[in-house]
Amino acid sequence: GDAHYNNYTFDQALQAYQRALRYVAKQQTPQLWAAIMFDIGKTHTELGNRTTGLDIHRHLTAAVQAYNQALEVYTHETLPQQWAQTHDNLAKAYVALEDWPNTAASYANVLQVYPDAEKAYRTASGIYHEVLFQFSEAFALNRHWLERHPDDLSALSDFAEKHFTTSRFAECAQR
């Protein structure tokens, strides 16, 4: 499957990964099974990004399903890097599906393992604040980011706005 994927023959890659599942049992080799599910998710995402019509939604939904299955094995406690990478890819599929709550949640999960992942921070913060109007979540995310990046001028400016939208008017004026 990887050879086909790397050659951008995603239909053939998907078939190869699906064939591989016939020989890999989740109970016997869970990490290998999860890796194949992750690859199926990546391949469906690529197919969804490269197709038109109803196939876009079908492939992206299948990608989400495959990533979620991989997350049954790739847990935050046992395999945090794989868990975060799966959430990063899951977030990209959710963006394509315009599923904003799940996009923000997936990127927030990435930040649990990779707290310096700027794209994850900016995307989740923007969605929480500008799309979902979940100002408390946006505020908390911004505060956490600034704890690690106190000189980020853009985040400092955003934080002043988030003080305003969470009714912290005195602090907003100070910022």
Side-chain angles (χ1 to χ4, degrees), residues 80-94:
Q81 287 87 9
Q82 292 87 341
W83 179 82
Q85 181 61 53
T86 304
H87 273 289
D88 188 62
N89 285 21
L90 189 55
K92 292 171 187 168
Y94 283 137

Side-chain angles (χ1 to χ4, degrees), residues 48-158:
N49 290 335
R50 288 172 165 70
T51 192
T52 59
L54 296 176
D55 282 340
I56 294 171
H57 190 268
R58 180 177 61 86
H59 280 299
L60 293 172
T61 301
V64 166
Q65 183 180 28
Y67 290 136
N68 280 320
Q69 287 179 293
L71 287 171
E72 294 171 11
V73 175
Y74 292 163
T75 66
H76 183 259
E77 297 74 28
T78 60
L79 296 164
Q81 287 87 9
Q82 292 87 341
W83 179 82
Q85 181 61 53
T86 304
H87 273 289
D88 188 62
N89 285 21
L90 189 55
K92 292 171 187 168
Y94 283 137
V95 165
L97 287 167
E98 298 181 5
D99 182 341
W100 307 123
N102 282 318
T103 300
S106 288
Y107 275 134
N109 284 334
V110 170
L111 290 167
Q112 290 180 37
V113 176
Y114 298 110
D116 298 320
E118 188 170 359
K119 180 182 178 185
Y121 159 70
R122 297 226 180 268
T123 305
S125 179
I127 290 170
Y128 280 136
H129 195 264
E130 304 297 328
V131 178
L132 301 175
F133 307 114
Q134 294 179 352
F135 301 127
S136 298
E137 287 85 352
F139 182 89
L141 201 58
N142 205 163
R143 182 181 60 224
H144 181 72
W145 181 261
L146 285 172
E147 288 169 2
R148 296 184 59 85
H149 307 91
D151 297 327
D152 184 335
L153 293 178
S154 176
L156 285 166
S157 173
D158 290 345

Side-chain angles (χ1 to χ4, degrees), residues 26-46:
K26 179 181 176 184
Q27 297 77 13
Q28 294 171 337
T29 52
Q31 289 184 27
L32 180 57
W33 178 86
I36 294 169
M37 294 309 299
F38 180 85
D39 289 336
I40 288 172
K42 278 189 351 182
T43 305
H44 273 298
T45 300
E46 290 296 335

